[in-house]
Amino acid sequence: MTFSANSLKILLATGLLLVGTAVAAQDSAGAGQEMYNKLCSGCHSATPAAMKGKPVDALVAGMERVKNLSNAAGAAARMQQTVQGLSPAQMKDIASYLNQMN
């Protein structure tokens, strides 16, 4: 099988993009682990079985739901207070960390 110069360039660019995406995801998960351990693990445990491996978007949506509750009480009120101070990027970092847990 032979490749043209353009095909090789496209293949190399695609590989570099995939590597860059993987590194960014690891950085995001690393920041998320630090925030999760500091802000969330006290209530959710260090290894929250119900959240491990879930899709990032679903985890962020759950945090957004709690953030926007109108009459939160008890544990939901405590979580709401915590997530109120988080930016969308920080919530995504925490979700990325949880998503990568096995």
Side-chain angles (χ1 to χ4, degrees):
M1 178 184 302
T2 60
F3 293 98
S4 69
N6 284 338
S7 295
L8 288 174
K9 288 178 187 176
I10 291 170
L11 185 61
L12 179 61
T14 302
L16 291 173
L17 179 63
L18 291 172
V19 168
T21 301
V23 169
Q26 287 175 342
D27 289 346
S28 179
Q33 179 179 10
E34 185 176 324
M35 283 186 285
Y36 180 85
N37 289 338
K38 180 180 176 186
L39 302 172
C40 312
S41 66
C43 294
H44 288 287
S45 86
T47 57
M51 295 183 280
K52 291 176 13 177
K54 282 197 170 183
V56 171
D57 291 341
L59 292 163
V60 170
M63 287 184 259
E64 286 288 346
R65 276 193 300 279
V66 172
K67 189 176 190 175
N68 297 314
L69 287 173
S70 58
N71 293 317
R78 287 190 300 275
M79 183 174 169
Q80 185 178 55
Q81 188 174 18
T82 298
V83 296
Q84 288 292 343
L86 296 175
S87 71
Q90 289 171 318
M91 287 191 285
K92 188 172 182 178
D93 287 347
I94 292 169
S96 295
Y97 165 65
L98 293 168
N99 170 264
Q100 293 183 6
M101 291 178 111
N102 293 323

